[in-house]
């Protein structure tokens, strides 16, 4: 019988020696900045997903544990995340204030950061992220594009600092991991992803209920929108590309709230033969469409979105394009087709 060695959960950091020295220095710098700061704020990307919210709450709870109060600024997010520990402390407004330290989580660039004006005015800034396209906009940048979720990077950081992963922290960290990995199933998950979930189970975190709350609960409006998205789905390039959309009008008619478009881009990814799913959603300003792309295998959708000033990960990325449905579709599909050549 094969003997399975016990898991060394303290060894989340990579083994590469040189990288370790570099990483440890960054982590020491981060810890120094946190110790010095009196006035800390945490920020994340627009249209925040589970990883954005889970990572924000995790940093907040970890700081609280070491005796540091911080402000979290997320003006709009899905009410489905309101049950998470610390969520009632999220601010939807900040006063005219200046921070000693601003921490950004799960956000690739300043353009997408909500509260960027506060971030830019802060004395020190730290960026913690896992986007391939991160442009290192902080004074200190801790970016690991191999991590499947920003929250998973936080797990290793918190372990490095010996912060106790309480049930609350376990819940917020796992929310980020579950949502960004599509429930432990996307490419990019690592053994650590499961090791961490296993450890939380041992600690008594109700992983199954959390999974169902953050991944398997949808609002009525999201369901109504998904019907429209399915009806309008077009298949191009022999079914390799799926395209669909929603307009502002659709959101009004379905009484959509913030976050109700989440997951709509995933619908086409599960259809046989579809390699790339393209979903566009009209923004509130009605001038631009937010493009969301997902790929199943080898097409790098981050590269495609980068052409339009966006980015993301190889198999999940986004960008903004100006115009109406037809115009935006033409632009994004043209570049997507090229990726298959
Ligand atoms: P979404 O389609 O909005 O779920 O985004 C997919 C992935 O791409 C997420 O990891 C986003 O953070 C990232 N992303 C989306 N839009 C942009 C953008 N305009 N610039 C950079 N990254 C983006
Ligand atoms: Mn995110
Ligand atoms: Mn993420």
């Amino acid at each position: 019988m094969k003997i399975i060695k016990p898991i060394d959960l303290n060894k989340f950091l990579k083994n590469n020696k040189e990288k370790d020295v570099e990483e440890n220095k960054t982590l020491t710098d981060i810890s120094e900045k946190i110790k010095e700061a009196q006035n800390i704020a945490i920020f994340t990307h627009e249209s925040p997903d589970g990883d954005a919210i889970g990572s924000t709450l995790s940093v907040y709870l970890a700081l609280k544990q070491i005796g540091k109060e911080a402000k979290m600024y997320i003006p709009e997010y899905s009410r489905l995340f309101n049950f998470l520990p610390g969520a009632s402390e999220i601010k939807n407004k900040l006063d005219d204030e200046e921070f000693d330290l601003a921490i950004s989580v799960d956000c690739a660039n300043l353009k997408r950061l909500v509260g960027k004006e506060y971030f830019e005015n802060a004395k020190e800034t730290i960026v913690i992220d896992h986007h391939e396209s991160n442009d290192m906009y902080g004074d200190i940048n801790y970016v690991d594009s191999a991590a499947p979720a920003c929250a998973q990077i936080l797990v290793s950081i918190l372990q490095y600092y010996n912060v106790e992963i309480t049930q609350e922290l376990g819940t917020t960290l796992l929310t980020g991991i579950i949502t960004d990995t599509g429930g432990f199933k996307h490419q990019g998950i690592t053994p650590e992803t499961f090791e961490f979930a296993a450890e939380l189970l041992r600690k008594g975190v109700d992983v199954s209920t959390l999974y169902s709350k953050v991944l398997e609960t949808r609002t009525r409006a999201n369901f109504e929108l998904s019907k429209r998205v399915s009806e309008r789905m077009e298949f191009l390039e022999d079914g390799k590309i799926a395209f669909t959309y929603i307009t502002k009008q659709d959101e009004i008619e379905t009484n959509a709230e913030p976050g109700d478009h989440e997951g709509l881009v995933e619908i086409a990814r599960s259809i046989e033969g579809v390699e790339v799913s393209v979903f566009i959603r009209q923004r509130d300003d009605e001038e631009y469409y937010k493009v969301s792309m997902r790929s199943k295998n080898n097409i790098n959708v981050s590269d495609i979105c980068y052409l339009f000033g966006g980015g993301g990960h190889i198999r999940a990325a986004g960008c903004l394009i100006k115009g109406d449905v037809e115009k935006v579709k033409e632009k994004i599909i043209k570049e997507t087709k090229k990726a298959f050549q």
Side-chain angles (χ1 to χ4, degrees), residues 286-298:
E286 298 190 18
E287 249 189 282
Y288 284 86
Y289 272 81
K290 162 71 203 286
V291 177
S292 280
M293 297 186 75
R294 298 290 184 270
S295 93
K296 213 179 278 173
N297 295 306
N298 302 322

Side-chain angles (χ1 to χ4, degrees), residues 45 48-49 51-52 106 112 130-131 180:
H45 66 78
D49 48 27
D51 191 27
D106 195 39
R112 293 200 80 215
H130 71 127
H131 289 90
D180 255 24

Side-chain angles (χ1 to χ4, degrees), residues 72-269:
M72 299 173 279
Y73 178 56
I74 314 182
E76 277 195 342
Y77 65 95
S78 167
R79 61 184 160 77
L80 295 179
F81 292 113
N82 272 340
F83 75 94
L84 286 172
S88 59
E89 301 299 316
I90 292 176
K91 307 249 176 288
N92 58 14
K93 224 172 81 203
L94 289 178
D95 296 328
D96 197 10
E97 49 196 314
E98 210 173 281
F99 297 99
D100 296 339
L101 178 62
I103 303 173
S104 152
V105 287
D106 195 39
C107 183
N109 53 48
L110 260 185
K111 217 168 64 187
R112 293 200 80 215
L113 193 69
V114 178
K116 52 172 120 14
E117 55 287 6
Y118 294 99
F119 188 89
E120 284 179 304
N121 278 337
K123 290 198 193 93
E124 294 285 344
T125 58
I126 296 173
V127 168
I128 302 171
D129 187 33
H130 71 127
H131 289 90
E132 240 209 348
S133 57
N134 190 292
D135 63 13
M136 309 284 175
Y137 54 98
D139 297 324
I140 304 175
N141 300 283
Y142 192 93
V143 177
D144 178 2
S145 60
C150 183
Q152 187 167 316
I153 303 179
L154 291 174
V155 174
S156 46
I157 296 182
L158 298 187
Q159 295 202 328
Y160 180 85
Y161 293 144
N162 283 321
V163 170
E164 197 204 335
I165 309 287
T166 55
Q167 287 227 358
E168 288 193 329
L169 260 174
T171 303
T172 54
L173 288 165
L174 196 61
T175 294
I177 293 174
I178 288 179
T179 52
D180 255 24
T181 62
F184 307 108
K185 74 177 179 334
H186 291 164
Q187 303 267 5
I189 49 166
T190 64
E192 289 79 10
T193 318
F194 292 104
E195 280 161 5
F196 180 59
E199 183 62 11
L200 290 182
L201 264 177
R202 275 185 211 106
K203 278 179 181 281
V205 172
D206 188 349
V207 176
S208 153
T209 299
L210 184 66
Y211 191 107
S212 124
K213 279 188 174 172
V214 301
L215 218 58
E216 289 177 338
T217 306
R218 63 200 305 198
T219 59
R220 207 26 220 282
N222 176 269
F223 176 70
E224 296 301 335
L225 287 173
S226 74
K227 289 202 283 192
R228 296 183 187 210
V229 156
S230 299
E231 263 166 26
R232 289 170 189 164
M233 191 84 71
E234 281 179 65
F235 298 96
L236 311 156
E237 295 288 276
D238 288 334
K240 290 202 279 286
I241 305 173
F243 172 86
T244 188
Y245 68 93
I246 54 172
T247 62
K248 187 76 209 142
Q249 190 58 28
D250 291 319
E251 297 205 19
I252 294 167
E253 287 169 12
T254 55
N255 296 317
E257 290 178 25
D260 280 342
H261 61 279
E262 281 294 326
L264 297 176
V265 64
E266 307 288 345
I267 294 172
R269 187 147 71 161

